[in-house]
Amino acid sequence: MKLFNCTACSAPVFFENFGCGNCGRRLGYLPDENLLCAVEEKGAAWARYEDAGPRYKFCRNADYGCCNWLVSADVTDIYCRACRHNHIVPDLSFEPNIVLWRKIENAKHRLFYTLLRFRLPLQTRAENDSGLIFEFLGDGRADLSPVLTGHESGQITIALAEADDAERERRRAAMREPYRTLLGHFRHEIGHYYWDKLVKDTPLVEEFREVFGDERLDYNAALNEHYARGAPPDWQNSFVSEYATTHPWEDFAETWAHYFHIVDTLEMASRFGLGDQPLGKEHGLSAVKILEDPYSASHARQLVDSWLPLTIALNSLNRCMGQSDLYPFVISPQITGKLELVRSFISNVDTQRASVPL
């Protein structure tokens, strides 16, 4: 994620902001330009502040305080590039649902920031039978099973309960997970989606199997085995999380999510200039400079070399505040190899874009 400045007064503003805290002008995000800009009303439309150029409208979900993205006034679409993928949203006649949905949309829009930066293929279900759609569901009647977060054939379901901080923490503790966030859910489930899009039924599947294992292993049996026996004692040598040990599909999705964690956080760190003074150099820690543009890394090793000293610093700062480690994971050489395969699959989209199935 990058830092933004109000295009009217230059004050710092942030990705989710609807207005500038300094000059009070309304803000809108232009995904094609990766620009959060001040806008002003021009009749029935909006324009960039002091700009006679194109006219825009806000995504319909701005009405609920759930989206600050702009859409061209010349198109019939009423939803932005992120919200047009929504298929089911919570019952908005119930105000508490809107509060939870806003948290979900904040995480989803951060996901789309990265997807668009990587220029990954994105189609809606209306454009393609296997296009990406989201369902944000609350638990229904007491006699129904709870909603489970997951992915199936391009449909990503996020349980509304995951937006409740107390409930999500309860689930994290019950599952003995060191980390559980809405953004993490989105990044994990989208990894499943892009496995289907970029790897499944392509020549890349053999390379995938060499690194992650054979995904033809019975998934349900593997899942039952994982919950019955847990992860192997040496799992941290080869897997980024305990859940990644379940099945090659889960290993890939977990690794994909961590690749997004790393790239997004390193971009923000570079914007704050955290790499200008090598972290912990006087204590013998790595003096590798944080990458200015992690999206252009030519190998995952570059990312990891920047990531490890940054996480040491961030974890240490969290401990000073009595908080758990920000990044409670270990990146081993084997995990770096898995991250590199994820990077190469994403890079392949740009170099082979015409042949990548959408």
Side-chain angles (χ1 to χ4, degrees):
M1 181 62 64
K2 65 179 284 187
L3 287 171
F4 298 91
N5 292 92
C6 175
T7 55
C9 70
S10 299
V13 291
F14 303 95
F15 184 64
E16 293 85 4
N17 286 168
F18 283 80
C20 174
N22 183 56
C23 69
R25 291 185 175 86
R26 188 161 182 181
L27 300 174
Y29 180 70
L30 291 169
D32 291 337
E33 301 180 43
N34 193 18
L35 178 68
L36 185 62
C37 59
V39 293
E40 54 189 353
E41 287 189 273
K42 296 289 184 180
W46 294 82
R48 301 189 210 190
Y49 177 68
E50 295 186 340
D51 190 324
R55 297 295 187 261
Y56 304 97
K57 56 190 175 186
F58 277 92
C59 173
R60 174 64 61 84
N61 288 336
D63 295 345
Y64 297 95
C66 292
C67 179
N68 64 351
W69 288 28
L70 294 166
V71 183
S72 171
D74 297 330
V75 301
T76 58
D77 292 321
I78 61 173
Y79 294 107
C80 71
R81 293 189 65 181
C83 291
R84 67 185 60 163
H85 292 271
N86 289 356
H87 182 233
I88 297 178
V89 300
D91 178 1
L92 302 181
S93 66
F94 186 50
E95 180 64 29
N97 282 354
I98 299 177
V99 175
L100 297 178
W101 183 41
R102 284 174 186 152
K103 295 181 180 181
I104 288 175
E105 287 296 340
N106 281 345
K108 190 197 76 182
H109 282 70
R110 280 186 171 257
L111 170 72
F112 271 80
Y113 173 93
T114 305
L115 297 178
L116 294 171
R117 285 294 311 274
F118 277 131
R119 300 182 68 243
L120 286 163
L122 281 168
Q123 285 190 315
T124 64
R125 188 57 57 91
E127 295 169 319
N128 189 298
D129 289 342
S130 62
L132 177 65
I133 59 172
F134 294 96
E135 295 190 349
F136 307 132
L137 304 177
D139 291 337
R141 301 192 314 269
D143 59 331
L144 295 178
S145 299
V147 174
L148 298 179
T149 293
H151 167 268
E152 183 176 0
S153 303
Q155 175 183 307
I156 291 177
T157 301
I158 302 291
L160 187 63
E162 291 286 349
D164 183 299
D165 294 342
E167 173 58 21
R168 190 177 61 256
E169 173 60 19
R170 186 194 69 78
R171 297 184 182 193
R172 186 200 66 77
M175 300 291 287
R176 295 181 293 107
E177 298 171 333
Y179 169 92
R180 189 182 184 96
T181 68
L182 281 170
L183 186 54
H185 283 318
F186 274 108
R187 287 171 172 169
H188 174 96
E189 301 305 339
I190 206 71
H192 287 301
Y193 174 75
Y194 280 109
W195 190 88
D196 286 351
K197 289 296 180 184
L198 306 181
V199 183
K200 182 181 178 181
D201 298 329
T202 76
L204 297 177
V205 74
E206 292 304 325
E207 191 173 0
F208 165 85
R209 288 169 184 162
E210 289 179 6
V211 175
F212 287 95
D214 194 337
E215 83 290 350
R216 292 168 294 191
L217 174 72
D218 186 278
Y219 178 80
N220 289 327
L223 196 64
N224 290 335
E225 176 74 10
H226 173 76
Y227 286 121
R229 299 180 181 273
D234 60 346
W235 65 267
Q236 286 185 316
N237 293 331
S238 307
F239 300 92
V240 76
S241 70
E242 290 190 62
Y243 191 61
T245 69
T246 303
H247 186 276
W249 282 335
E250 299 301 344
D251 191 8
F252 180 81
E254 284 286 270
T255 305
W256 177 285
H258 280 258
Y259 188 78
F260 274 41
H261 293 335
I262 292 169
V263 169
D264 191 40
T265 308
L266 284 178
E267 183 184 28
M268 181 62 79
S270 71
R271 296 301 185 267
F272 273 106
L274 296 185
D276 293 342
Q277 297 296 324
L279 299 166
K281 182 179 179 181
E282 68 275 18
H283 299 293
L285 300 177
S286 175
V288 176
K289 181 178 175 64
I290 292 175
L291 289 176
E292 183 175 348
D293 181 15
Y295 285 91
S296 64
S298 59
H299 196 284
R301 181 78 254 172
Q302 293 177 289
L303 298 171
V304 173
D305 285 346
S306 292
W307 183 240
L308 292 181
L310 177 63
T311 56
I312 291 171
L314 294 176
N315 288 347
S316 298
L317 290 171
N318 264 29
R319 293 175 190 180
C320 290
M321 291 296 295
Q323 297 290 330
S324 301
D325 285 354
L326 182 77
Y327 190 76
F329 303 95
V330 175
I331 303 293
S332 69
Q334 189 165 343
I335 295 169
T336 300
K338 291 178 178 180
L339 289 167
E340 169 55 19
L341 192 60
V342 169
R343 187 208 64 80
S344 71
F345 287 166
I346 293 173
S347 177
N348 188 59
V349 174
D350 257 352
T351 57
Q352 305 286 336
R353 194 167 181 80
S355 64
V356 172
L358 298 176

